Amino acid sequence: MSWVYVWFMRKQGETVLTWETEELKEFGLRVDALCSTKILMTGEIRWYCIEIDRGSVSRHKFRKIDIYDDLYLKEGVAGSKLMKKLGNPARFPKVIIVTDDPKHGQKIRRLVAESKTKVRYEVHLLSAIKEGLA
């Protein structure tokens, strides 16, 4: 998780405001990290849900896409309980998925492509983040 935090700290044009772990339990989701950033040029606050996948250890189906899609359908509108908790941002948090296994990353990318919602997902390999390639 610390590599992902460092990666976020290095993002050009954004400043990390908050970084909290195991949040959103009241919405049926235990996010590995919930992060807010401020866009320096516009002052806009953006939210990210960070998920760490240990695909090299676990070969289970990555179910978080279904969970985020369901959460978006229930709470992804302005004024919902989730959006109020986040300070009523302009958009639902982007979901960043970091995996340590390239094959599992491909499976997750397929699941993202099959998603029927407007949730914005990014899938990165931990090795690419460590090498500064993400």
Side-chain angles (χ1 to χ4, degrees), residues 58-75:
S58 173
R59 298 292 178 207
H60 68 283
K61 181 182 179 198
F62 190 79
R63 299 204 18 85
K64 292 283 181 129
I65 303 298
D66 294 335
I67 294 169
Y68 278 105
D69 286 352
D70 289 345
L71 182 61
Y72 176 81
L73 293 173
K74 294 175 187 166
E75 297 286 338

Side-chain angles (χ1 to χ4, degrees), residues 115-133:
S115 172
K116 303 287 190 233
T117 67
K118 294 182 180 181
V119 176
R120 296 165 299 130
Y121 293 99
E122 285 182 19
V123 181
H124 297 282
L125 289 175
L126 181 59
S127 59
I129 287 174
K130 286 180 177 181
E131 295 169 16
L133 301 174

Side-chain angles (χ1 to χ4, degrees), residues 28-53:
L29 181 65
R30 197 200 65 161
V31 176
D32 291 328
L34 179 64
C35 173
S36 66
T37 64
K38 184 174 187 175
I39 307 302
L40 299 176
M41 290 287 285
T42 64
E44 177 187 358
I45 306 297
R46 290 195 182 156
W47 287 90
Y48 299 90
C49 294
I50 315 297
E51 294 293 343
I52 306 299
D53 172 67

